[in-house]
Amino acid sequence: MTDPIKARNWLQQRVQPHLPQTRITCITMGNEVFKTYDHQLWSNLLPAMQTVYNALVDLGLDKQVTVTSAHSLDILSISFPPSTGSFRQDLSEYLHGILNFHAEVKSPFLINAYPYFAYKDNPNEVPLDYVLFQSNQGTVDPITNLKYDNMLYAQVDAVYSAIKAMGHTDIEVRISETGWPSRGDDDEAGATPENAGLYNGNLLKRIEEKQSTPAKPNVPVDIYVFALFNENLKPGPASEGNYGLYYPNGTPVYNIGVQGYLPGMVYTSPSTKIALSVVSNVLFLVIAYLIFA
């Protein structure tokens, strides 16, 4: 995707034919690239983003489709308290350019944030109600005196602080993935349908209320839920394939009250047709993932 001709061809084949009937708003260049520890990919990420963006401009699509990349939360070296959030030192030379790009083209900085992982790793220390958006005592940032009643908002504000530390206050942080698994292995604490229903159900209510984080009170949090469907063929721990609101055959994994927001989507298989409803505010959008060699 650092090749202008290949980038333009990809857009003409994979994006342009589907507009405007499909609402495509964002192209992510890779997913969690900095987890690969492939320094060639790290170096190619920004040029690829720039090349695809320039191709969008040439095609007149840049006003409806933006370019970004989704990052895991472990790009942070410090995440608490949120006001001290900072990026890993080994990523700073790459993130400086990426942040400058976001500021220039007005595209969001995407983060995949999973409070579930924090709870799974330390179930005796992390309060379950705090990560599930349930009533709890919360935690206070000792520097700003801002109170957080859930971990997700604290994680978002930690990213805002890390971006600010690099000289930017003009970039919006969006959550490209968050969710909770409904099933897991024996050593994956908290992976139950009850907890998944509480996490996603409470999250949807907060989205519907257009809530903001304590440090960004005027910026409603924009969230993409992972995932619409369970991935029954996905390898790895049991939790990895069980983040969906629906099974692959279209039946709900659990009920979080999302019915009635949108007209039903028709799922068709050789033997069944099932009408599905999804919540509009969560924006289950198509995000095109580019894999570059």
Side-chain angles (χ1 to χ4, degrees), residues 71-249:
H71 307 283
S72 66
L73 202 66
D74 61 12
I75 63 171
L76 296 178
S77 59
I78 300 174
S79 61
F80 191 84
S83 60
T84 63
S86 61
F87 292 120
R88 282 169 26 203
Q89 198 64 35
D90 61 321
L91 300 179
S92 60
E93 64 178 291
Y94 304 97
L95 289 172
H96 266 298
I98 289 172
L99 292 174
N100 289 338
F101 170 82
H102 285 307
E104 179 184 352
V105 307
K106 309 299 182 188
S107 63
F109 189 88
L110 301 187
I111 194 79
N112 299 338
Y114 289 90
Y116 166 71
F117 293 144
Y119 178 77
K120 177 179 72 73
D121 292 341
N122 294 286
N124 295 323
E125 297 180 18
V126 177
L128 184 59
D129 287 341
Y130 181 63
V131 292
L132 292 179
F133 306 100
Q134 296 285 82
S135 177
N136 67 94
Q137 293 182 345
T139 184
V140 175
D141 186 316
I143 298 173
T144 63
N145 207 35
L146 293 174
K147 183 175 181 178
Y148 290 85
D149 67 356
N150 70 86
M151 182 178 287
L152 185 67
Y153 288 5
Q155 292 174 336
V156 172
D157 279 350
V159 177
Y160 270 120
S161 295
I163 292 174
K164 184 178 181 180
M166 284 199 163
H168 287 281
T169 58
D170 51 354
I171 298 171
E172 181 183 354
V173 175
R174 296 181 186 173
I175 299 175
S176 40
E177 289 183 21
T178 192
W180 196 282
S182 59
R183 189 171 70 86
D185 293 322
D186 291 341
D187 61 347
E188 295 185 297
T192 67
E194 293 76 19
N195 288 341
L198 284 171
Y199 184 85
N200 285 319
N202 288 332
L203 178 63
L204 295 183
K205 292 175 185 176
R206 289 172 180 256
I207 295 170
E208 191 171 27
E209 294 169 1
K210 294 182 169 31
Q211 286 194 5
S212 306
T213 66
K216 289 286 183 177
N218 299 317
V219 183
V221 184
D222 195 349
I223 298 173
Y224 298 77
V225 168
F226 186 88
L228 188 56
F229 292 99
N230 274 351
E231 300 170 280
N232 59 322
L233 301 180
K234 192 172 185 178
S239 63
E240 284 295 306
N242 287 278
Y243 278 86
L245 303 180
Y246 295 90
Y247 292 107
N249 67 3

Side-chain angles (χ1 to χ4, degrees), residues 228-229 246-247 249-252 262-267 274-278:
L228 188 56
F229 292 99
Y246 295 90
Y247 292 107
N249 67 3
T251 59
L262 286 178
M265 294 192 306
V266 176
Y267 169 86
I274 301 171
L276 307 180
S277 296
V278 297

Side-chain angles (χ1 to χ4, degrees), residues 55-73:
L56 285 168
V57 172
D58 291 343
L59 295 171
L61 301 177
D62 58 298
K63 296 297 186 288
Q64 55 185 309
V65 183
T66 191
V67 176
T68 182
S69 186
H71 307 283
S72 66
L73 202 66

